C-alpha cells in the first residue's frame, strides 16, 4: 500500500469568513511544505479545529471535506455546477462539528480552468461532462487525493468522517493511509441549470445523489 510522503505545516493563521448570505465563522488556514505536486493547497480548520495545532491528533474524529477548486462556482456562483453551494454547506457543517475543509487546487476535476470552459462549450453541443473531458484528451476525472492525505497527516489526523458523496474520495484516502471512519453525505443543490450535470455525476461517477436521472 502506498503511503503519503511526509508533509509539514508551513504556517497557520486565523481568517474570519463571511459568506454572501451573511453566515460567519472563523477558520484557521494552514499552508504546507512538502506537498508532492508543488501546488498551494490549503486546509481550513473549523469549529474546534480552528484551535492551534500543536502536536499530533487527539480529540474526536474530525469531519473532513476535500473540496476541489472551482473558480466559476466557488467565487462567481456559477449555476453550471453545485460547487459554490457545496462549499458553503461544507463550511457550516464542519464548523458545527469540528474538522477540516481541504481546498484542493484541482480546477475542472484536475484538467484546469480553460479546459473546463472548453468542456462546457462541448456540453452545449450535446456531450455530457465526462464525454466532453474525453473529447478534449483528458480522462473523465484526473483528481488524485494523495495531497489530501499528506495534509491530514501533517495535521495529525489519521481517522476522518468524510463529508462527500464521491466514493472515489473515500477509496483514494484509504489507499493513501487515512482511515475513513464514516461517510457523511452532502446535500443536493439542484437548480434548473445544473440538473443535467448532477444527474450525469450520479449516473457516471457513482455519486450517491438522489436526483432524477431524466432531469435536464
Ligand atoms: Zn464547479
Amino acid at each position: 500500500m502506498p503511503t503519503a510522503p511526509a508533509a509539514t505545516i508551513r504556517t497557520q493563521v486565523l481568517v474570519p469568513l463571511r459568506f454572501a448570505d451573511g453566515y460567519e465563522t472563523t477558520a484557521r488556514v494552514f499552508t504546507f511544505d512538502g506537498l508532492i505536486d508543488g501546488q498551494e493547497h490549503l486546509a481550513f480548520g473549523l469549529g474546534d479545529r480552528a484551535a492551534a495545532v500543536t502536536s499530533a491528533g487527539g480529540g474526536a474524529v474530525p469531519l473532513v471535506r476535500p473540496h476541489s477548486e472551482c473558480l466559476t462556482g466557488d467565487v462567481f456562483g456559477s449555476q453550471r455546477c453545485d460547487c459554490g453551494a457545496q462549499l458553503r454547506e461544507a463550511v457550516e457543517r464542519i464548523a458545527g462539528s469540528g474538522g477540516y475543509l481541504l481546498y484542493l487546487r484541482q480546477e475542472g476535476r484536475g484538467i484546469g480552468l480553460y479546459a473546463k470552459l472548453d468542456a462546457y462549450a462541448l456540453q452545449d453541443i450535446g456531450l455530457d461532462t465526462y464525454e466532453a473531458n474525453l473529447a478534449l484528451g483528458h480522462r473523465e476525472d484526473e483528481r488524485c487525493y494523495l495531497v489530501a492525505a499528506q495534509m491530514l497527516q501533517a495535521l495529525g489526523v489519521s481517522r476522518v468522517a468524510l463529508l462527500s458523496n464521491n466514493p472515489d474520495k473515500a477509496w483514494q484516502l484509504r489507499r493513501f493511509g487515512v482511515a475513513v471512519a464514516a461517510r457523511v453525505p452532502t446535500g443536493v443543490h439542484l437548480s434548473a441549470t445544473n440538473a443535467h450535470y448532477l444527474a450525469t455525476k450520479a449516473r457516471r461517477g457513482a455519486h450517491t445523489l438522489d436526483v432524477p436521472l431524466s432531469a435536464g
Side-chain angles (χ1 to χ4, degrees):
M1 184 177 82
T3 47
T8 53
I9 294 171
R10 177 178 166 279
T11 58
Q12 44 182 305
V13 62
L14 288 175
V15 179
L17 307 179
R18 186 168 198 274
F19 287 82
D21 62 1
Y23 172 73
E24 295 183 36
T25 190
T26 296
R28 180 171 294 270
V29 179
F30 296 88
T31 67
F32 299 89
D33 281 318
L35 298 178
I36 49 131
D37 62 4
Q39 298 240 54
E40 295 182 330
H41 306 286
L42 299 175
F44 287 69
L46 295 159
D48 61 16
R49 300 286 174 153
V53 170
T54 48
S55 57
V61 174
L63 184 62
V64 170
R65 177 168 177 79
H67 181 92
S68 299
E69 175 176 33
C70 173
L71 181 83
T72 47
D74 296 344
V75 179
F76 294 97
S78 164
Q79 296 294 296
R80 292 195 74 124
C81 60
D82 60 343
C83 303
Q86 292 272 0
L87 179 63
R88 168 64 186 82
E89 177 198 348
V91 168
E92 186 166 357
R93 289 180 69 174
I94 297 168
S97 52
Y100 298 98
L101 184 125
L102 307 179
Y103 195 78
L104 306 174
R105 316 301 297 277
Q106 303 171 324
E107 180 62 67
R109 291 201 187 91
I111 70 174
L113 180 58
Y114 277 16
K116 179 180 80 173
L117 294 167
D118 293 344
Y120 284 169
L122 290 175
Q123 290 165 38
D124 287 345
I125 57 169
L127 278 68
D128 75 29
T129 172
Y130 292 91
E131 291 165 349
N133 279 15
L134 295 176
L136 291 167
H138 294 285
R139 284 172 285 141
E140 290 185 352
D141 188 334
E142 300 194 354
R143 288 174 294 181
C144 169
Y145 298 101
L146 178 54
V147 290
Q150 285 188 290
M151 293 159 87
L152 291 169
Q153 198 173 68
L155 292 163
V157 172
S158 56
R159 287 172 72 77
V160 302
L162 184 65
L163 181 60
S164 174
N165 297 322
N166 183 346
D168 189 43
K169 288 183 182 172
W171 186 84
Q172 284 204 34
L173 285 179
R174 286 194 178 107
R175 178 166 170 258
F176 295 131
V178 177
V180 179
R183 275 180 58 191
V184 181
T186 65
V188 173
H189 303 279
L190 193 64
S191 72
T193 43
N194 73 12
H196 183 72
Y197 164 82
L198 290 176
T200 303
K201 213 159 77 160
R203 193 176 69 245
R204 301 288 293 267
H207 281 238
T208 49
L209 300 180
D210 183 21
V211 289
L213 293 183
S214 58

